Amino acid sequence: MTIERDRRDGDTATSEPLNAVIEVVRRFASARLKEGDSPAELSFALAFVATEMGLCLTRGADSLPVFQAVLHAVSSAAPNGAPVDEQPERDGPRVTVPAGATVH
């Protein structure tokens, strides 16, 4: 899958070299998951590396675009994730708390 199909906003096309990098990283991540790495820890590591790399490249410049790029990538990838199962029904009636009440 290329990032062009991943992106829902369609604001810019992604270059083929960037698509190639994404595919390499996807294969790497799949291999690490098969080796038993934690999905959460692997996600953290990849986000950390992406952010750190961007900040190193922009040293002395405005770093805000780095954070914007990482967050944009997160929001672009989010629809590709597995669907979240609905919460199971609880036993008994649903209890609500009136507005302004303090719950102890």
Side-chain angles (χ1 to χ4, degrees), residues 45-87:
L46 293 172
F48 182 91
V49 169
T51 305
E52 184 179 55
M53 181 187 64
L55 292 173
C56 287
L57 293 172
T58 60
R59 220 174 276 281
D62 181 20
S63 60
L64 182 60
V66 172
F67 295 106
Q68 291 172 327
V70 172
L71 292 174
H72 184 76
V74 169
S75 65
S76 295
N80 296 335
V84 177
D85 293 334
E86 290 187 27
Q87 295 291 329

Side-chain angles (χ1 to χ4, degrees), residues 6-35:
D6 293 346
R7 295 180 69 127
R8 303 292 187 232
D9 56 11
D11 60 352
T12 58
T14 304
S15 67
E16 284 305 313
L18 183 56
N19 282 327
V21 170
I22 291 168
E23 290 304 319
V24 168
V25 173
R26 280 181 173 153
R27 285 193 298 275
F28 169 79
S30 292
R32 296 306 315 155
L33 292 171
K34 288 178 184 171
E35 290 291 321

